[in-house]
Amino acid sequence: MKIKKYRVCIIGTGYVGLVSGTCFAQIGHHVICVDNNKEKIENLQKGILPIYEPGLEKMILKNKRAGRLFFTTDIAEAVKKSEVVFIAVHTPTKENGETNLRYVEDVSKEVAKAMDKYKVVVSKSTMPVNTGQKIKEIITKFCPKGLTFDIVSNPEFLKEGSAIKDFLKPDRVVIGVESKKAEKIMRDIYKPISSPIIFTSIESAEIIKHACNAFLATKISFINAIACICEKNSANVKEVAVAMGLDKRIGPDFLKAGIGFGGSCFPKDVSAFINVAKKSGYDFNLLKEVKKINKKQREIFLDKIIKNVPALKGKNIAVWGLSFKPNTDDMREAPSIDIINELVLKGAVVKAFDPVATKKAKEVFKDKIIYCKNAQEALKNADALVILTEWENFKKITPEIIKKLMKSPNVFDGRNIFSPQKMARLGFNYYSIGKK
Ligand code: UDX
């Protein structure tokens, strides 16, 4: 397959920017990653990553060595050297649910000022519908007169923990375009990736991203609501989810009941999409309920602990897992934050272990909790074990060992990693999600 190699730059080295940049280099393009955080760039130049993502470090080193991947703080130079400019900066949510587009707007201005010939400017960050047009207006206003450019929306569907696979083997690539010229360039760039490419309008692409995340969050809240009903009726939500998932119209993914979704995307994108809907004159009550169920799921779990470990003050609570999901060190919107803060407030002594998130968790919990070297250490003398992230390694520790190390065999499993029957047989007081 003949592949045309492009010179691209990615502005923003967060999750999306760093993974996308590295993967574009991996498929043969010449990539410059840009960030205004000097320390981050200096570290990346030395091969030190700001995030934990399986396989990423190795891939960065490989592509750096091959002379395809570069890191800089100089946005103007990176833009000048590139045919395609990807914007992958943060789009945080304001207090009122609106998306803060300041970083996108600032970067668009800088890109415009640095432009010296035709470029394709692609938004990769999740942005509310019509942001593409805003970027177009800014670039038109600030770029040298007479220059032409195209804007594109190419949202990312990377899951933390499997981001590289999601980039290189996606279910589909979504590209919103306005011109045939940009469509051809984008098709060329993605040529080494053998997944279907869906070309749409820019506005559709923007909505697709929000709609996907909102739908997946809805699936999770739906199964969590079912879990509450299962608990009250001696049913088992795992059995219910398996049977539901075998219906092809429903599908098996994102039907794991637990303590709700966290992370940098779902909570933010659900709120942002509610706001997009409101601005479009539609009251998206369904999504408001999705948010409510998600919050409630943590409260229900906490109540179980409070009710079943009376007088929490001074009790030793072992916590397994701090990141919002396994295979990442990301603490953003992690359910562990609300749950642990509340346990600490009630006077519990929290002894926590996470395989990779401890460093980031220290920034959140400071010295409010004790950080353990391994899962077993957290269990010693514990009055209860609280499982908040389903790391694979936790599943390998047998209930027999758990019981031996703990003072009282109370297990609150927010991720359903053990068998309730086995735990009961071994004499545990085992509280999970969606099972009696
Ligand atoms: C998500 C989207 O999946 C991805 O396409 C998008 O681009 C970014 O946001 P991510 O946040 O990395 O990815 O994680 P994901 O695997 O989707 O999980 C999100 C949250 O939902 C986690 O807290 C996870 O624990 C929770 N979850 C997921 C469930 O509670 N049950 C499930 O069945 C699946």
Side-chain angles (χ1 to χ4, degrees):
M1 196 198 330
K2 180 108 181 58
I3 289 163
K4 186 166 178 327
K5 291 178 182 159
Y6 279 86
R7 302 180 81 84
V8 309
C9 73
I10 316 266
I11 303 167
T13 54
Y15 243 103
V16 168
L18 195 55
V19 172
S20 304
T22 307
C23 289
F24 278 133
Q26 176 70 16
I27 60 175
H29 301 298
H30 178 281
V31 180
I32 308 175
C33 290
V34 189
D35 205 291
N36 59 6
N37 183 330
K38 204 164 159 246
E39 193 189 335
K40 208 174 180 187
I41 291 297
E42 280 170 0
N43 279 336
L44 282 164
Q45 283 164 342
K46 286 186 229 150
I48 303 167
L49 274 61
I51 50 166
Y52 170 83
E53 179 63 35
L56 187 60
E57 191 177 335
K58 217 167 128 197
M59 199 178 264
I60 287 180
L61 289 177
K62 185 180 146 200
N63 284 284
K64 261 169 54 126
R65 259 189 238 123
R68 286 191 298 259
L69 183 61
F70 302 85
F71 298 97
T72 182
T73 52
D74 191 340
I75 184 167
E77 198 199 337
V79 169
K80 283 190 184 20
K81 283 185 177 163
S82 304
E83 295 148 284
V84 183
V85 177
F86 288 88
I87 299 179
V89 293
H90 294 300
T91 47
T93 317
K94 295 184 200 163
E95 283 283 304
N96 62 1
E98 224 173 89
T99 305
N100 183 350
L101 289 174
R102 218 191 82 201
Y103 306 107
V104 174
E105 289 166 0
D106 289 352
V107 160
S108 303
K109 224 183 272 179
E110 287 192 65
V111 169
K113 286 181 184 163
M115 273 171 41
D116 52 355
K117 53 182 171 303
Y118 171 84
K119 316 257 173 206
V120 179
V121 180
V122 188
S123 48
K124 265 238 167 273
S125 321
T126 305
M127 299 176 187
V129 64
N130 298 319
T131 308
Q133 296 308 330
K134 235 180 234 162
I135 294 174
K136 193 173 166 180
E137 279 165 30
I138 294 173
I139 297 182
T140 308
K141 190 168 161 199
F142 290 96
C143 78
K145 293 282 157 280
L147 269 193
T148 58
F149 67 93
D150 271 308
I151 52 156
V152 167
S153 169
N154 172 213
E156 210 39 73
F157 300 95
L158 308 175
K159 296 189 292 299
E160 294 183 17
S162 60
I164 290 176
K165 181 185 145 284
D166 291 344
F167 189 97
L168 298 173
K169 288 188 176 47
D171 291 344
R172 69 340 196 168
V173 174
V174 174
I175 304 179
V177 284
E178 281 185 333
S179 83
K180 283 283 163 210
K181 189 173 176 182
E183 179 176 328
K184 160 131 197 354
I185 292 171
M186 293 305 288
R187 198 185 286 282
D188 280 354
I189 284 187
Y190 277 101
K191 203 162 182 182
I193 289 173
S194 54
S195 309
I197 301 186
I198 313 293
F199 284 100
T200 67
S201 71
I202 289 181
E203 290 70 25
S204 295
E206 290 168 334
I207 288 193
I208 287 167
K209 171 70 198 212
H210 266 154
C212 285
N213 277 356
F215 188 80
L216 292 169
T218 305
K219 244 183 138 178
I220 298 169
S221 278
F222 187 90
I223 200 67
N224 281 334
I226 299 293
C228 293
I229 302 169
C230 285
E231 274 182 31
K232 299 270 183 258
N233 293 286
S234 305
N236 179 339
V237 73
K238 261 193 173 172
E239 291 173 358
V240 174
V242 167
M244 280 175 70
L246 284 172
D247 186 324
K248 287 197 181 66
R249 294 166 301 177
I250 297 172
D253 298 331
F254 282 72
L255 283 181
K256 253 195 289 160
I259 42 177
F261 56 79
S264 63
C265 288
F266 286 174
K268 167 174 92 78
D269 292 352
V270 168
S271 297
F273 205 33
I274 291 172
N275 208 269
V276 164
K278 188 174 160 202
K279 281 193 169 161
S280 317
Y282 181 77
D283 194 358
F284 214 150
N285 279 318
L286 175 64
L287 283 190
K288 288 182 192 163
E289 200 55 40
V290 165
K291 266 177 79 169
K292 264 192 227 158
I293 293 171
N294 198 51
K295 186 163 175 276
K296 185 99 188 134
Q297 204 60 12
R298 295 174 194 185
E299 291 164 5
I300 294 171
F301 185 66
L302 247 171
D303 280 350
K304 268 185 206 164
I305 303 172
I306 293 165
K307 217 183 271 159
N308 295 293
V309 187
L312 266 172
K313 201 166 180 342
K315 293 266 165 67
N316 286 327
I317 308 293
V319 169
W320 280 2
L322 298 167
S323 56
F324 83 98
K325 69 173 207 177
N327 297 320
T328 178
D329 62 348
D330 202 338
M331 286 295 297
R332 286 175 289 179
E333 302 279 337
S336 67
I337 299 176
D338 288 344
I339 293 168
I340 290 177
N341 279 342
E342 198 55 37
L343 291 174
V344 170
L345 209 67
K346 295 246 172 314
V349 179
V350 171
K351 294 184 180 175
F353 171 69
D354 188 286
V356 301
T358 305
K359 193 169 162 229
K360 290 201 174 153
K362 280 183 181 168
E363 290 164 25
V364 177
F365 301 114
K366 310 269 185 320
D367 56 1
K368 280 197 279 188
I369 66 172
I370 296 161
Y371 303 91
C372 297
K373 282 193 196 70
N374 54 48
Q376 285 87 340
E377 187 187 314
L379 289 176
K380 276 181 205 153
N381 213 21
D383 296 286
L385 164 64
V386 174
I387 302 169
L388 301 181
T389 320
E390 68 276 32
W391 284 93
E392 269 314 306
N393 280 350
F394 297 159
K395 298 177 190 167
K396 292 182 194 145
I397 303 172
T398 62
E400 288 82 355
I401 292 177
I402 296 175
K403 190 145 180 244
K404 214 184 267 174
L405 292 169
M406 291 181 75
K407 188 156 100 191
S408 314
N410 298 313
V411 175
F412 297 87
D413 184 354
R415 301 293 185 176
N416 287 347
I417 69 172
F418 292 118
S419 145
Q421 288 80 14
K422 185 167 182 195
M423 295 301 272
R425 223 174 30 244
L426 290 171
F428 279 95
N429 302 313
Y430 180 67
Y431 308 90
S432 54
I433 308 284
K435 291 169 229 168
K436 209 152 193 179

